[in-house]
Amino acid sequence: MKAVRLYEYGGPENLKFEGDVPEPTLGADLVLVEAAATSVNPIDWKIRSGARQKDIPLTLPAILGRDVSGVIRAVGSNIHAFRPGDRVIALTRATYAELVAVEGSIVTHLPEGVNLVDAAAIPLVALTGDQLVRQAARAESGQTFIVSGALGNVGRAAVHTAKKLGVHVIAGVRARQLSEAAALGVSDAVAVDDESAIARLVMVDGVIDTIGGETAAKLFAKVKSGGSFAYASVFPEGLSATNPTVKVTRVLTRPDASKLREFADDIRDGKFLLPISQQLPLRDAAKAHALAEKGGFGKIVLVIRDPARP
């Protein structure tokens, strides 16, 4: 099969597109997905560069990637909820490939009305945002939370989940993005790059942080005693000591088929929007990584097999 493999840590050029990679083995509890697309997440290029080598070691050569959308080619003997031909999405591993073997318990059907290729943008960012709110922050209806990086991919998902729970959301964005924040359906927004604006903020029940660094430190100071601070990136060293009553929790995203289907349904129904900035063929994974590292909004989708094209 065709796939992109990493042979050594380093720059994007170390990603090699190959046409003779061994196909994954189908086990009894697995489904074999003929991939339509995958997407590029920050964790992908952090692993590729070697920055996450200590906590996420690889056996090289390795296939990167966490998101997959596609059509089931075959199912294991213990799988009864899926059949060949089903459209599915999942949060798994080794997805920069034409075929991906996935545990049946973490796969979900993709509803009609959601584009199969675009759906590859959903899994990791949606589940990270959701788990930041529900599991790490344990946000509840009536509470007030700041979501930093609210216009980013994970931030958008966090805002969406928080609103569904009845949380009052303050969207943390850059000053030049304040007008765009209204599209998130929130009533309040704050410019996180404006110290005077942050100083004017009321104390809040918690923060959902997707940015880290100095922004995290500034927003941490606005959390009430006994509040919560949930993060997905890096928490500044020593910051907890400034208010030990605040519960600080990092999210380690886990597959969740039911929540993934919920996000897909909301996209179908127009309740949630996840912008896609570019679609590139799988062979251009190195280019996609280089673009992703520059930052910006919207997901980069790697198209593996577009069923809409011959």
Side-chain angles (χ1 to χ4, degrees), residues 12 27 43 95 128 130 191 231 304:
I43 190 63
T95 61
T128 300
D130 187 86
Y231 71 103
I304 300 169

Side-chain angles (χ1 to χ4, degrees), residues 5-18:
R5 291 200 286 189
L6 178 71
Y7 281 84
E8 61 179 318
Y9 295 110
E13 68 278 2
N14 288 349
L15 293 170
K16 307 299 182 183
F17 179 73
E18 301 175 329

